[in-house]
Amino acid sequence: MKAKAVLIILIISVGCSSAKKAVSNKITFAENSVIAHRGAWKQNGFPQNSIASLQQAIALKCTGSEFDVRMTADDTLVINHDPHYNNLEIEKTNYADLLAFKLSNGEKLPTLREYILAGIENNQSTRLVCEIKPSGINKERGQRIATKVVDLFRQLNAQHLVVYISFDYDILKKIIGVNPTAKTQYLEDNKSMDQLKADGITGADYFIWSYKDHPEMIESAKTHQLTLNAWTVNEAADMDWFITNGFDFITTDEPALLLERLQK
Ligand code: MG
């Protein structure tokens, strides 16, 4: 009798958890090309890379919100663009010491865990475009950061939301090694589309002028079915150029303006 009850509870709980998983994985990314660069911070005066800027990108239904990941001296993954936070070098400072300083809107410096959890909540539209910064200490540390980041997305059941980007090619190769189905885009324009394809990278995210100076790269990317992204496109005329050229993603500090241009 007791065994039967345990079995029933087990079946119900397995059923519930798989239903919950199915719900949380159900997402239809917004059908626009707008990637909010460091979140949608500018219009509302939010700090870059804050949870408020991520939530605003989700509220605008951008197809993606970008952010930067670094690792503290005691191995905490945090969200910050610059190598320094309030004059403290992140890679050489413990997390607790960074917490002494708040962001300008009163938020604490977000950890990657907190950022992913905020990115899962009430999000039916927006990819998490996760830039892993190269380590200033050594390449090996960059490899370790890459593994830890992928593990965390897996742990939090958020792999379906993430696109990884990096200036460190080996970080992207490490990510593919750990998770062969990961979406990856390379940021430094020193690799051809042929090379990206050969190495299993799924897209290019190059500087505006890389494409304008070498428009033949655009056709090459399309031929190889690589995802095309560009940074950082803030002027209306440039936005129109990338829209006309059929870019999958356009990374911008002005997501509302880009959404307007796309309407036209
Ligand atoms: Mg970035």
Side-chain angles (χ1 to χ4, degrees), residues 3-174:
K4 200 176 170 187
V6 167
L7 188 66
I8 288 167
I9 289 167
L10 202 68
I11 289 167
I12 291 171
S13 63
V14 166
C16 286
S17 74
S18 62
K20 195 175 160 197
K21 196 176 169 188
V23 168
S24 67
N25 275 346
K26 196 178 161 226
I27 186 160
T28 311
F29 294 120
E31 284 183 16
N32 60 59
S33 50
V34 183
I35 306 289
H37 181 233
R38 304 178 199 168
W41 53 273
K42 200 170 177 181
Q43 213 173 24
N44 297 60
F46 296 135
Q48 299 180 353
N49 278 317
S50 59
I51 285 177
S53 73
L54 167 64
Q55 288 170 334
Q56 181 61 17
I58 294 170
L60 287 173
K61 294 192 164 44
C62 298
T63 208
S65 188
E66 188 263 0
F67 54 92
D68 305 287
V69 177
R70 296 183 178 276
M71 190 164 79
T72 64
D74 54 349
D75 286 9
T76 299
L77 298 166
V78 295
I79 310 303
N80 198 69
H81 177 265
D82 296 344
H84 291 80
Y85 177 71
N86 285 280
N87 296 323
L88 298 169
E89 192 174 349
I90 292 173
E91 286 201 289
K92 294 184 177 164
T93 307
N94 285 340
Y95 174 61
D97 297 324
L98 297 173
L99 281 186
F101 303 92
K102 300 269 192 209
L103 304 187
S104 65
N105 66 342
E107 273 182 44
K108 72 182 195 64
L109 178 70
T111 61
L112 177 61
R113 173 181 289 274
E114 289 158 353
Y115 217 80
I116 297 171
L117 290 173
I120 292 169
E121 208 177 283
N122 298 323
N123 178 8
Q124 294 302 319
S125 55
T126 308
R127 293 170 178 81
L128 302 179
V129 181
C130 176
E131 177 174 354
I132 303 181
K133 289 293 187 190
S135 170
I137 295 175
N138 56 42
K139 288 288 270 190
E140 185 279 330
R141 195 168 198 269
Q143 297 284 290
R144 209 153 57 76
I145 295 170
T147 309
K148 279 176 70 86
V149 170
V150 175
D151 281 349
L152 192 53
F153 273 96
R154 184 185 290 141
Q155 247 181 57
L156 297 176
N157 193 28
Q159 282 171 299
H160 60 296
L161 289 172
V162 65
V163 178
Y164 297 104
I165 62 176
S166 190
F167 281 99
D168 183 330
Y169 204 64
D170 294 323
I171 282 182
L172 295 183
K173 290 217 272 193
K174 181 71 182 180

Side-chain angles (χ1 to χ4, degrees), residues 189-245:
D189 61 359
N190 59 0
K191 303 275 187 214
S192 69
M193 299 298 163
D194 297 325
Q195 190 66 53
L196 296 184
K197 187 68 183 180
D199 289 329
I201 310 292
T202 62
D205 181 3
Y206 289 172
F207 180 53
I208 295 185
W209 282 100
S210 315
Y211 299 110
K212 290 204 163 190
D213 289 343
H214 296 281
E216 70 279 3
M217 284 202 299
I218 299 171
E219 269 322 299
S220 177
K222 288 178 184 174
T223 303
H224 287 308
Q225 293 180 303
L226 293 168
T227 303
L228 273 170
N229 190 355
W231 55 269
T232 305
V233 185
N234 294 333
E235 304 298 329
D238 289 329
M239 290 175 178
D240 294 346
W241 191 88
F242 284 97
I243 294 167
T244 304
N245 278 286

